[in-house]
């Protein structure tokens, strides 16, 4: 299978993996040939990347870090619970997270169990789910990235559960933000941006008042937009005052946002998002956390089309855990008429990846 940007999908490309919505329902099955209307609809629904059938890599199948069943169940739980919270806020009723905590805890337990048995680098999570609410999908992605990162950082099971709850609820305050502001496609006014920023404190208060969620979990929601140099919000905290868990979630949160299509820009590829994180290392984000995160994710996802520095073209077929920037590539032509063959960039150190599948090419329909 091959990984393609939604903006380089062609009519009649066949899906290699199914597409789900944020209720966990399967929208499109694998094997289906994409039509012009399907491609347009998938763009509208926030899809960033698709796995497409490909003869050169027909023997390659990307296994998700969490199962389709767990992903579907988790998305439905988040969607149902967050929608309920939103409704209660809009109708002036009190929000009681106490009633919802067990279902969130079950999600964390399921993700922990599956991640614990999988040491593979996590491929992008922003590629096979169509969503009506970015917040639902983003909350699950950030939770998966956060738990995997926390595990690599050496946190124990109790710490990972607390961290996971903080991650899954980090944006719950957005349920108290007017939808027209939350989903606005034009540039936000200064007043609207201040309203968006209120979600951190709104989430903190919801969690703090729940009764059975820890104050630590509440501070994950409160502090995940704080930055080491004091430029974040809502309290402009500096490095020593930002909790370690909030620093972890902050990195996962920014990474998932950058690798997802948004109304105001197209998605970045993992290596591009990682470079942007590194540009803020020890200024905005904790450098040690970024370094560990770079070994947690697949910098070059399996199935991605690449061009090498010597002009050869190929597709990523595997990653090297210790050298994530030097993956294994199946070359599809080398300019001399040779057939496909595999090369390991950890052995061919004089060759680098010079470019990847374009994210700016519009669909040819």
């Amino acid at each position: 299978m091959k990984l393609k940007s939604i903006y380089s999908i062609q009519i009649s490309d066949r899906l290699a993996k199914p597409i789900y919505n944020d209720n966990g329902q399967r929208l499109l099955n694998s094997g289906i040939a994409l039509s012009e209307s399907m491609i347009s609809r998938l763009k509208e629904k926030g899809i960033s990347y698709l796995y497409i059938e490909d003869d050169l890599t027909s023997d390659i199948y990307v296994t998700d870090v969490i199962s389709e069943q767990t992903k579907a169940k988790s998305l439905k739980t988040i969607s149902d619970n967050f929608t309920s919270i939103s409704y209660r806020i809009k109708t002036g009723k009190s929000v009681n997270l106490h009633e919802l905590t067990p279902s969130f805890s079950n999600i964390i337990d399921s993700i922990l169990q599956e991640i614990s048995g999988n040491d593979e680098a996590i491929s992008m999570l922003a590629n096979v789910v169509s969503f009506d609410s970015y917040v639902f999908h983003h909350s699950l992605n950030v939770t998966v990235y956060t738990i995997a990162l926390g595990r690599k950082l050496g946190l124990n099971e109790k710490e990972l559960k607390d961290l996971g709850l903080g991650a899954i609820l980090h944006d719950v305050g957005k349920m108290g933000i007017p939808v027209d502001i939350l989903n606005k496609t034009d540039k936000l006014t200064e007043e609207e941006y201040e309203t968006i920023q209120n979600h951190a404190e709104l989430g903190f208060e919801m969690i703090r008042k729940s009764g059975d969620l820890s104050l630590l979990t509440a501070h994950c929601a409160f502090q995940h937009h704080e930055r080491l140099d004091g430029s974040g919000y809502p309290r402009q905290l500096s490095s020593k005052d930002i909790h370690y868990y909030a620093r972890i979630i902050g990195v996962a949160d920014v990474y998932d946002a950058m690798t997802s299509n948004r109304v105001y820009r197209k998605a970045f590829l993992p290596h591009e998002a990682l470079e942007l994180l590194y540009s803020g290392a020890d200024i905005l984000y904790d450098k040690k956390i970024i370094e560990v995160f770079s070994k947690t994710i697949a910098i070059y996802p399996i199935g991605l089309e690449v061009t090498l520095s010597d002009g050869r073209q190929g597709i990523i077929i595997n990653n090297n855990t210790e050298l994530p920037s030097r993956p294994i590539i199946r070359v599809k032509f080398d300019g001399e008429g040779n057939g496909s063959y595999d090369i390991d960039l950890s052995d061919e150190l004089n060759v680098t990846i010079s470019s990847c599948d374009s994210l700016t090419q519009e669909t040819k329909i």
Side-chain angles (χ1 to χ4, degrees):
M1 62 173 58
K2 179 166 60 177
L3 182 66
K4 295 181 71 173
S5 160
I6 188 66
Y7 294 97
S8 57
I9 294 294
Q10 306 290 308
I11 290 175
S12 297
D13 277 346
R14 290 187 178 274
L15 282 178
K17 297 188 77 170
I19 304 292
Y20 296 85
N21 66 12
D22 51 18
N23 280 317
Q25 298 171 319
R26 186 174 293 199
L27 297 181
L28 293 174
N29 286 316
S30 56
I32 194 168
L34 294 170
S35 65
E36 177 180 346
S37 61
M38 287 177 183
I39 295 169
S40 296
R41 184 62 175 156
L42 290 173
K43 280 185 180 181
E44 292 172 3
K45 299 292 285 183
I47 290 291
S48 301
Y49 308 95
L50 296 173
Y51 284 108
I52 300 298
E53 291 182 358
D54 174 63
D55 291 340
L56 182 64
T57 52
S58 59
D59 59 325
I60 303 299
Y61 188 85
V62 179
T63 303
D64 295 328
V65 67
I66 58 173
S67 67
E68 291 181 359
Q69 181 180 7
T70 296
K71 185 181 297 181
K73 184 177 179 180
S74 299
L75 279 170
K76 188 174 190 314
T77 298
I78 293 170
S79 175
D80 289 348
N81 288 349
F82 277 32
T83 300
S84 173
I85 291 168
S86 178
Y87 174 77
R88 296 187 72 85
I89 292 172
K90 288 176 183 176
T91 55
K93 298 178 181 178
S94 61
V95 175
N96 185 1
L97 285 182
H98 172 76
E99 300 171 354
L100 308 178
T101 299
S103 60
F104 288 127
S105 295
N106 288 339
I107 293 176
I108 304 305
D109 289 341
S110 297
I111 293 173
L112 266 172
Q113 183 177 4
E114 295 193 21
I115 284 181
S116 295
N118 187 345
D119 286 323
E120 295 294 319
I122 300 177
S123 194
M124 287 180 299
L125 301 175
N127 51 9
V128 290
V129 178
S130 167
F131 51 88
D132 292 313
S133 172
Y134 169 76
V135 176
F136 304 159
H137 185 217
H138 176 67
S139 296
L140 177 59
N141 288 354
V142 171
T143 302
V144 174
Y145 287 131
T146 295
I147 291 175
L149 175 54
R151 185 167 170 262
K152 290 273 190 182
L153 287 165
L155 300 184
N156 62 39
E157 187 170 343
K158 170 64 168 60
E159 292 169 332
L160 288 173
K161 286 185 177 181
D162 288 340
L163 177 64
L165 281 170
I168 205 168
L169 293 170
H170 80 284
D171 265 351
V172 69
K174 285 186 176 176
M175 296 302 96
I177 304 298
V179 175
D180 59 331
I181 296 178
L182 203 59
N183 297 333
K184 185 177 178 181
T185 57
D186 298 327
K187 184 178 180 180
L188 295 172
T189 65
E190 187 174 337
E191 183 179 357
E192 288 169 337
Y193 184 59
E194 289 176 358
T195 299
I196 288 281
Q197 290 182 329
N198 289 338
H199 81 274
E201 188 165 1
L202 287 172
F204 170 75
E205 290 298 332
M206 281 187 219
I207 298 169
R208 184 180 65 83
K209 294 174 181 177
S210 68
D212 53 357
L213 287 167
S214 72
L215 193 59
L216 176 55
T217 298
H219 275 287
C220 289
F222 208 8
Q223 297 183 10
H224 70 279
H225 281 292
E226 301 287 1
R227 299 295 178 251
L228 300 185
D229 63 357
S231 64
Y233 66 85
R235 293 185 291 167
Q236 293 76 52
L237 300 180
S238 56
S239 55
K240 63 183 178 62
D241 297 316
I242 305 171
H243 195 279
Y244 186 48
Y245 288 4
R247 297 188 195 189
I248 295 172
I249 294 171
V251 167
D253 174 55
V254 170
Y255 174 80
D256 185 65
M258 287 194 290
T259 53
S260 300
N261 275 331
R262 306 300 300 276
V263 292
Y264 47 84
R265 59 145 178 81
K266 297 180 177 69
F268 292 103
L269 283 166
H271 70 282
E272 296 169 325
L274 193 62
E275 284 299 316
L276 288 171
L277 282 171
Y278 266 116
S279 70
D282 283 343
I283 301 171
L284 304 176
Y285 318 107
D286 189 311
K287 184 177 180 180
K288 179 184 176 183
I289 292 174
I290 297 174
E291 289 174 342
V292 175
F293 189 61
S294 71
K295 297 177 181 178
T296 305
I297 58 168
I299 298 176
Y300 293 105
I302 294 173
L304 183 67
E305 291 186 286
V306 297
T307 299
L308 302 179
S309 56
D310 58 10
R312 287 180 291 177
Q313 297 178 335
I315 297 177
I316 308 292
I317 62 168
N318 211 339
N319 290 286
N320 286 306
T321 305
E322 296 305 314
L323 287 170
S325 64
R326 312 292 296 176
I328 300 169
I329 296 170
R330 181 160 298 166
V331 175
K332 55 182 179 180
F333 93 84
D334 62 4
E336 297 180 0
N338 295 322
S340 65
Y341 54 93
D342 299 345
I343 62 169
D344 188 336
L345 292 191
S346 66
D347 295 328
E348 297 200 22
L349 300 180
N350 61 324
V351 180
T352 59
I353 294 173
S354 60
S355 64
C356 303
D357 178 30
S358 173
L359 296 184
T360 57
Q361 177 184 349
E362 291 297 331
T363 310
K364 296 177 181 177
I365 57 178

